C-alpha cells in the first residue's frame, strides 16, 4: 500500500513539473521572459506554482534538457533559446552517466564506428588540400606522442580532424561528446607503448588511403582499426581459482 502511494506521489510530481516547465517555456517563447534573463528563485517558483522544491527542480531539469535553460557557471538559471548543440550536449550528459554499463558502452562504440567509417569514406572521396594538411599534422603529433600520456589526446584529435571533413556539426558534436569518455572508461592495456605503435600505424594507413583516394582501403582499415581498438581494451574475464582438492585434468 505504501509503495503504491509513493508511486502515485511520484506521478503527481511528474505531472506538476510538466505543467511548470511548459508554463515557463511558453513565457520564454512569447518573450515574457527575455533570453538571458534569470528565472525566479526556486523559492519564488514554489510559491507561484504552489509546488514543492523537488517538483520545481524537476521542471527546471526538463527545461535544461530541452534547451530552454542555461544553468551553468554556478549562477541562477537563465532563459535560453534551444539550439542543436545545446540540446545534444544536455542529452549527452545523461547518456554519459550510463556509459559504465558494458552494453551501453558497446552501443556507443557501434555508433562511433558508423560515424568514423562513414567520415573516412567521405574524406577519401572529397577531402581538399587544406583538410589533408590538417590530417597530416594531427598524424605527426600522434607519432610524436607514442609511449607518452599525450598519445590518447592526439589519438582523439586525429579522429576528430577526420570527422570534421564531413562538415556536419551534429556528427562532430556527437563525436566530441562521446569519444573522450569512451577512451577514459576503457581498461588500460598491458603494453601501452606497443599498443600506441599499432594504433599509429593504422592511423598512418588510413591517412595514406585517403591521400590516394582509395575509398575501399580507407574504410576497411578504419573499420578494422576501431574494432581492434575496442577489443584490445576490453577487460579480461575473471579466472576461477583452482580447486586444491581436485586432481589433474585431462584433455
Amino acid at each position: 500500500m505504501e509503495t503504491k502511494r509513493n508511486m502515485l506521489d511520484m506521478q503527481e510530481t511528474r505531472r506538476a513539473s510538466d505543467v511548470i516547465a511548459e508554463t515557463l517555456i511558453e513565457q520564454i517563447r512569447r518573450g515574457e521572459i527575455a533570453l538571458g534573463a534569470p528565472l525566479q528563485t526556486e523559492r519564488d517558483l514554489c510559491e507561484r506554482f504552489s509546488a514543492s522544491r523537488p517538483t520545481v527542480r524537476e521542471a527546471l531539469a526538463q527545461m535544461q534538457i530541452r534547451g530552454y535553460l542555461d544553468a551553468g557557471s554556478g549562477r541562477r538559471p537563465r532563459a535560453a533559446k534551444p539550439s542543436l548543440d545545446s540540446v545534444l550536449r544536455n542529452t549527452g550528459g545523461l547518456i554519459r552517466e550510463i556509459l559504465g554499463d558494458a552494453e551501453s558502452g558497446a552501443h556507443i562504440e557501434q555508433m562511433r564506428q558508423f560515424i568514423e567509417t562513414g567520415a573516412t569514406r567521405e574524406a577519401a572521396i572529397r577531402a581538399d588540400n587544406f583538410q589533408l594538411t590538417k590530417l597530416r599534422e594531427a598524424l605527426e603529433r600522434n607519432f610524436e606522442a607514442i609511449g607518452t600520456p599525450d598519445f590518447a589526446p592526439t589519438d582523439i584529435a586525429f579522429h576528430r580532424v577526420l570527422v570534421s571533413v564531413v562538415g556536419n556539426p551534429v556528427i562532430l558534436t556527437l563525436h566530441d561528446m562521446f569519444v573522450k569518455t569512451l577512451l577514459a572508461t576503457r581498461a588500460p592495456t598491458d603494453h601501452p607503448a606497443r599498443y600506441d605503435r599499432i594504433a599509429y600505424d593504422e592511423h598512418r594507413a588510413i591517412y595514406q588511403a585517403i591521400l590516394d583516394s582509395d575509398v575501399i582501403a580507407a574504410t576497411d582499415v578504419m573499420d578494422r582499426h576501431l574494432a581492434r581498438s575496442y577489443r584490445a581494451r576490453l577487460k579480461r574475464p575473471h579466472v576461477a581459482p583452482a580447486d586444491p582438492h581436485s586432481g589433474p585434468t585431462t584433455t
Side-chain angles (χ1 to χ4, degrees):
M1 188 68 176
E2 185 66 27
T3 301
K4 184 175 181 180
R5 184 180 298 111
N6 290 339
M7 291 178 64
L8 290 174
D9 289 343
M10 290 176 62
Q11 291 173 359
E12 188 64 32
T13 299
R14 176 73 65 178
R15 286 195 292 271
S17 63
D18 290 345
V19 171
I20 295 171
E22 288 298 335
T23 300
L24 294 174
I25 287 172
E26 190 57 33
Q27 285 188 291
I28 295 172
R29 287 172 176 165
R30 291 198 301 260
E32 296 172 12
I33 301 177
L35 296 179
L39 268 63
Q40 294 174 279
T41 64
E42 286 186 3
R43 180 178 179 179
D44 289 339
L45 290 172
C46 289
E47 293 179 359
R48 174 184 171 185
F49 293 100
S50 300
S52 66
R53 195 173 289 261
T55 300
V56 167
R57 288 177 177 171
E58 171 66 22
L60 297 178
Q62 288 184 39
M63 293 177 66
Q64 185 174 4
I65 290 174
R66 295 171 62 180
Y68 284 96
L69 200 67
D70 179 6
S73 304
R75 61 184 182 182
R76 210 160 87 203
R78 295 174 181 269
K81 181 180 180 180
S83 67
L84 191 58
D85 183 73
S86 66
V87 171
L88 284 173
R89 291 191 181 280
N90 288 333
T91 306
L94 298 176
I95 295 175
R96 278 195 295 268
E97 291 181 4
I98 64 172
L99 282 180
D101 176 78
E103 185 175 353
S104 300
H107 286 315
I108 299 299
E109 285 277 2
Q110 187 181 47
M111 182 193 74
R112 179 194 178 194
Q113 193 153 359
F114 275 107
I115 288 175
E116 295 200 17
T117 303
T120 301
R121 178 182 181 279
E122 289 298 303
I125 293 173
R126 60 184 178 88
D128 58 31
N129 290 340
F130 176 73
Q131 292 166 331
L132 289 171
T133 298
K134 288 183 70 66
L135 192 61
R136 172 74 186 197
E137 291 172 349
L139 182 66
E140 290 175 349
R141 288 191 291 270
N142 190 225
F143 172 75
E144 293 167 358
I146 290 175
T148 75
D150 291 332
F151 187 83
T154 62
D155 186 340
I156 294 170
F158 174 80
H159 286 268
R160 189 183 192 279
V161 171
L162 184 54
V163 172
S164 69
V165 172
V166 179
N168 186 314
V170 177
I171 291 176
L172 192 58
T173 299
L174 288 171
H175 187 269
D176 288 345
M177 285 193 302
F178 297 120
V179 170
K180 186 174 182 179
T181 304
L182 283 171
L183 293 179
T185 55
R186 289 178 180 173
T189 58
D190 293 334
H191 305 285
R194 182 167 64 86
Y195 172 84
D196 291 353
R197 168 62 68 176
I198 293 171
Y200 166 76
D201 286 342
E202 291 170 346
H203 291 163
R204 183 167 54 84
I206 292 166
Y207 168 77
Q208 188 61 52
I210 291 172
L211 189 65
D212 295 339
S213 299
D214 190 335
V215 176
I216 295 176
T219 54
D220 182 59
V221 175
M222 174 60 83
D223 191 58
R224 287 187 285 108
H225 167 63
L226 293 176
R228 181 205 55 76
S229 176
Y230 176 56
R231 290 170 183 168
R233 290 183 177 271
L234 282 174
K235 292 182 179 180
R236 293 182 179 180
H238 297 295
V239 178
D243 185 350
H245 300 293
S246 63
T249 58
T250 58
T251 58

